[in-house]
Amino acid sequence: MEMLLAILLWIGCISSPNTYYQAQIDSYSTQHQQVVDSAMSNQVQREVIWQQYGIAATELEVIDLIFPPFS
């Protein structure tokens, strides 16, 4: 997840520090699927992105909106 967040920071569609909903991250990932897949499959590119955005990626909060059932 942190690598995906670093890639989305690199693309410029999210910023850090910040809070996002999981649905937003999923949407950005889908919108930029080709770039995300390309970066994920290239080890050198991943390393460069992580060096530049890794710390910022760890400062992001992603909230999953799965609510527990009512009892």
Side-chain angles (χ1 to χ4, degrees):
M1 173 61 102
E2 287 181 343
M3 189 66 224
L4 173 60
L5 295 174
I7 292 170
L8 294 177
L9 285 164
W10 175 64
I11 293 169
C13 58
I14 63 174
S15 61
S16 179
N18 216 332
T19 301
Y20 294 92
Y21 293 109
Q22 183 65 53
Q24 290 174 290
I25 298 301
D26 294 344
S27 177
Y28 292 137
S29 178
T30 300
Q31 290 171 17
H32 301 284
Q33 189 70 48
Q34 188 174 19
V35 175
V36 169
D37 288 347
S38 177
M40 285 286 207
S41 67
N42 183 325
Q43 182 178 352
V44 173
Q45 186 66 50
R46 280 194 326 265
E47 290 173 8
V48 169
I49 292 169
W50 189 254
Q51 286 178 347
Q52 294 177 350
Y53 296 96
I55 291 173
T58 63
E59 296 175 349
L60 291 166
E61 181 179 10
V62 179
I63 300 171
D64 194 357
L65 285 179
I66 298 177
F67 295 102
F70 294 104
S71 31

